[in-house]
Amino acid sequence: MMLSACNVSWSTGGISILENVSLDVVPGEFLGIVGPNGSGKTSLMSLLAGLRRPKSGRVLLDGRPIDGLGRREVARCIALVEQQAETSERISARQAVELGRTPHLGPLAPWSAEDDEIVGAAIRNVDMEPLAARQWHTLSGGERQRLHIARALAQQPEILLLDEPTNHLDIGHQIGLLHLVRQQQLTAVAALHDLNHAAMFCDRIALMSGGRIVALGSPSEVLSAERICSVFGVVVDVQHEGEGRCYIRYCAPGSPAAERPKLRRIS
């Protein structure tokens, strides 16, 4: 299933956030979206999920305008894990994950043993089985984030969208979560802050700056030292590895390596 943004623009309060962004998400790939704060990553994710309508341009799901589809139909194809998705309801951890089955339920499709199995597997995948009976409000931010991932997996989408999914997670669960996403038999798009995480797990990376995509390709193609310096304003060394992978070493401010002339920022 193909998800595409075609020359989309979006603004709020008279401020332009996205400008003529085009992007085709290849079925089966893990696509990372990276860029500084305010570059438009979260806004683009909202458009791709169909939560917002672009000011101009279109978002297409399998060739059809996503804003012309019903929310249930979209939810059967796309699951979104947002940065902040809280609830004031007094529900258990397992009940929060069970919400992922909602698009598949109806008068002719009541809750079944299969739904129980799907939810249980999703909870196990994010290592939350021991806490499944705990009340939502007693969980830490990291535990809640892992349950948001489980809820999305229980939705059984073809496309998984994740907006900074490693927020609130310790390093072990950050790596484990991205590895889990990588192993799923689905298309994934993740907005990420950590460039090394993107280089480690993503097939392609879209680099955003000033509401535009300024580079798109394999990690080693996109994450050059010059481009990182231009977009993020930091000096790095990039070690290129096989299969389009790379590793980024940041130079501490004030160190001899960081005294290299900085390039003009891309805007």
Side-chain angles (χ1 to χ4, degrees):
M1 177 169 286
M2 179 75 78
L3 180 63
S4 301
C6 306
N7 295 313
V8 297
S9 297
W10 191 74
S11 61
T12 181
I15 299 173
S16 177
I17 307 298
L18 296 172
E19 298 181 13
N20 297 319
V21 172
S22 292
L23 179 68
D24 289 327
V25 182
V26 178
E29 78 170 336
F30 190 171
L31 174 66
I33 300 178
V34 301
N37 289 339
S39 59
K41 301 187 300 295
T42 293
S43 297
L44 178 58
M45 296 294 283
S46 295
L47 294 182
L48 291 175
L51 297 183
R52 293 171 173 165
R53 286 191 176 189
K55 181 179 179 181
S56 61
R58 299 186 303 171
V59 174
L60 303 177
L61 179 60
D62 239 15
R64 297 182 294 169
I66 197 170
D67 55 12
L69 304 176
R71 289 308 309 164
R72 181 180 291 268
E73 184 177 1
V74 173
R76 287 174 178 163
C77 302
I78 298 175
L80 171 66
V81 178
E82 299 179 83
Q83 290 185 47
Q84 302 292 335
E86 298 301 333
T87 177
S88 60
E89 299 293 330
R90 291 287 179 144
I91 59 176
S92 69
R94 183 181 178 88
Q95 287 172 328
V97 179
E98 288 175 351
L99 294 174
R101 299 303 300 157
T102 302
H104 304 280
L105 303 177
L108 301 180
W111 190 272
S112 67
E114 181 182 6
D115 295 303
D116 274 327
E117 293 174 3
I118 291 169
V119 169
I123 292 173
R124 287 192 297 274
N125 275 340
V126 298
D127 196 26
M128 284 293 290
E129 197 170 20
L131 301 181
R134 283 266 300 272
Q135 289 296 299
W136 178 267
H137 70 278
T138 69
L139 299 169
S140 70
E143 289 164 346
R144 294 180 186 183
Q145 187 72 349
R146 285 152 63 190
L147 288 170
H148 287 315
I149 301 294
R151 186 268 307 158
L153 294 178
Q155 201 170 319
Q156 291 192 312
E158 293 189 48
I159 301 172
L160 179 61
L161 304 179
L162 307 109
D163 189 9
E164 298 182 19
T166 55
N167 274 3
H168 310 298
L169 299 182
D170 59 55
I171 187 62
H173 282 107
Q174 289 178 25
I175 298 296
L177 171 65
L178 294 173
H179 176 71
L180 172 65
V181 172
R182 177 80 184 176
Q183 297 304 306
Q184 302 304 304
Q185 299 298 312
L186 44 74
T187 305
V189 182
L192 299 169
H193 268 307
D194 192 307
L195 299 183
N196 278 317
H197 285 172
M200 185 184 304
F201 291 103
C202 296
D203 299 301
R204 290 193 303 156
I205 292 174
L207 174 60
M208 299 194 69
S209 180
R212 298 182 291 118
I213 293 177
V214 297
L216 176 63
S218 71
S220 63
E221 290 172 335
V222 171
L223 299 177
S224 67
E226 293 79 9
R227 190 172 282 126
I228 292 172
C229 185
S230 296
V231 173
F232 294 93
V234 295
V235 177
V236 301
D237 285 321
V238 179
Q239 177 182 338
H240 293 276
E241 301 174 349
E243 299 181 353
R245 303 290 171 188
C246 62
Y247 175 77
I248 298 156
R249 184 175 67 84
Y250 296 92
C251 301
S255 67
E259 296 305 314
R260 305 170 189 167
K262 292 188 177 182
L263 302 179
R264 180 177 57 86
R265 283 174 175 262
I266 299 174
S267 60

